[in-house]
Amino acid sequence: MPSEKIIIYCDGACSGNQFEQNVGGWGAVLQYKDRVKEIYGGEKNTTNNRMELTACIKALEQVKLKNAEIEIYCDSAYIVNCFRQGWHLKWQRNGWMTSKKAPVENRDLWERLISLADQHQVTFQKVKGHAGVELNERADQLANRGMAEAEKNPSQSPVANRPSPIANRQSPIANRQSKITNASPDPRLDYRAVEGGYLLRLPRGARVMETLLDFIREKNIDGGALSAIGAVEEVELGYFRLSDHQYLRKKLNGIYELVAFSGNVSYVDGQPMVHAHAVLGDPGFQTVAGHFFDGAVAVTMEIYLTVFSDKIARRRDEETGLNLLDL
């Protein structure tokens, strides 16, 4: 007999997250018994965190049952840790102020999400992004579709329904426990504390930025500097064009030697950000370099993370449209 529990996979995306002019998208997949429903949408001038929150909100708004048992899976530690560690309860008790006496970011969306979650029996689970979990990969595709359509028409928030392609076979989430982790950083990540910071070794297949940000959140790192060597693939680099405050983006196929990688850890709107540049070498001993948006570890990646004692923040610079270090 199909489970009475509602399973939801949510994801958010934002292109140019560090710029004032950007576009974001959200997507969600809802499964109830043998039926699957997909929804997605997007908007301009947003953030990745707002899109992650919106995905959860829009998904819960689709639930018509009363006091339903719901499991929400997402790759956002920002959301999962909030509910699993009770941050939202502390925020409400403290008048929507953080432990550092700063206003809670995205309060409008948090209040909507908390109100919806309180109407049901909701649990939040952390799923590793880009790890082959079928419905999570689909939510990611929907978020990117919403982002693409919002770029063309920011007022459009389409909703799609489809009959379940898995009605007559076992659900792809039946064995999900083997691919889901409730802890960060990545349990395959090897690291050691050293004087001044950490040495990390990222495993093959790890998404560089996601793994680093999970580690930074887990260790409560307020700021730092990064350097690394290794080999990467599925890389996206960028070149910032000052004339229109936009990045030219280029995706690279194949495996590249990570000749140089340097960057820093700071905070934008209360959330950690890794700003990094990379120099990559190909088999023909040619190099390409630029802003490092993301990539996957092809063989290994060895990182030295220097930890600062002070909180490092960024603020909007109107002249460049960038979030620059607030010194």
Side-chain angles (χ1 to χ4, degrees):
M1 179 179 295
S3 172
E4 295 291 329
K5 184 182 297 183
I6 298 172
I7 302 297
I8 298 174
Y9 279 79
C10 296
D11 200 13
C14 186
S15 177
N17 194 49
Q18 66 268 51
F19 300 107
E20 184 174 0
Q21 299 296 322
N22 57 41
V23 61
W26 56 267
V29 182
L30 298 86
Q31 183 182 53
Y32 178 61
K33 296 183 178 179
D34 61 354
R35 297 184 62 82
V36 171
K37 184 174 188 178
E38 297 181 345
I39 58 174
Y40 64 93
E43 61 186 68
K44 290 190 174 181
N45 302 328
T46 185
T47 67
N48 190 76
N49 283 336
R50 290 188 69 83
M51 292 295 92
E52 296 277 5
L53 287 163
T54 300
C56 294
I57 290 167
K58 295 294 186 181
L60 287 175
E61 287 177 344
Q62 297 293 313
V63 177
K64 306 305 180 186
L65 298 176
K66 302 295 185 182
N67 194 31
E69 185 178 1
I70 303 171
E71 281 189 357
I72 296 179
Y73 292 88
C74 65
D75 55 20
S76 169
Y78 178 56
I79 293 175
V80 174
N81 289 344
C82 173
F83 284 94
R84 294 178 69 89
Q85 298 179 21
W87 298 351
H88 61 303
L89 301 176
K90 297 176 184 177
W91 293 340
Q92 291 171 313
R93 286 197 301 267
N94 295 333
W96 287 94
M97 301 293 286
T98 69
S99 59
K100 296 186 178 181
K101 308 303 181 184
V104 173
E105 298 290 339
N106 304 315
R107 174 180 172 178
D108 57 330
L109 297 181
W110 279 117
E111 287 186 313
R112 288 172 60 191
L113 178 55
I114 292 167
S115 175
L116 288 165
D118 285 346
Q119 298 173 31
H120 304 285
Q121 303 173 52
V122 181
T123 57
F124 287 82
Q125 305 286 355
K126 178 75 163 61
V127 60
K128 183 172 176 58
H130 308 288
V133 180
E134 183 177 341
L135 295 187
N136 189 62
E137 296 291 342
R138 182 57 183 160
D140 176 71
Q141 293 170 2
L142 291 168
N144 280 282
R145 181 190 296 179
M147 183 166 59
E149 295 191 10
E151 190 165 20
K152 298 176 183 177
N153 181 6
S155 64
Q156 186 177 14
S157 290
V159 175
N161 289 281
R162 66 182 176 99
S164 172
I166 54 176
N168 296 316
R169 63 180 175 88
Q170 186 180 27
S171 165
I173 59 175
N175 297 315
R176 63 183 179 272
Q177 295 302 326
S178 63
K179 294 185 177 179
I180 291 175
T181 174
N182 293 326
S184 62
D186 187 331
R188 300 174 299 159
L189 170 67
D190 291 321
Y191 71 93
R192 177 160 59 94
V194 295
E195 184 176 359
Y198 295 93
L199 288 175
L200 300 89
R201 185 174 67 238
L202 274 60
R204 182 177 181 181
R207 301 300 302 184
V208 175
M209 289 305 191
E210 178 186 9
T211 306
L212 283 174
L213 288 171
D214 277 351
F215 185 85
I216 290 162
R217 293 187 185 99
E218 176 72 15
K219 299 301 180 183
N220 295 316
I221 294 171
D222 286 334
L226 294 157
S227 61
I229 55 174
V232 291
E233 59 186 343
E234 301 175 16
V235 175
E236 184 173 14
L237 296 180
Y239 174 86
F240 182 67
R241 190 168 56 194
L242 183 60
S243 60
D244 58 0
H245 297 179
Q246 297 292 325
Y247 265 110
L248 301 176
R249 303 169 79 107
K250 184 176 181 64
K251 293 184 178 180
L252 305 176
N253 297 319
I255 296 176
Y256 288 80
E257 191 81 14
L258 189 60
V259 179
F261 181 95
S262 61
N264 54 50
V265 177
S266 57
Y267 281 74
V268 178
D269 296 332
Q271 295 302 311
M273 167 186 169
V274 173
H275 181 201
H277 289 185
V279 179
L280 309 177
D282 67 16
F285 295 93
Q286 301 296 308
T287 59
V288 60
H291 176 91
F292 187 87
F293 282 107
D294 202 6
V297 177
V299 181
T300 188
M301 186 171 178
E302 299 172 346
I303 301 172
Y304 177 50
L305 170 57
T306 303
V307 176
F308 300 156
S309 58
D310 295 336
K311 186 69 170 274
I312 307 301
R314 291 178 177 270
R315 60 180 174 83
R316 179 73 59 187
D317 177 69
E318 297 301 329
E319 183 177 355
T320 62
L322 296 168
N323 287 314
L324 301 182
L325 290 175
D326 188 7
L327 303 177

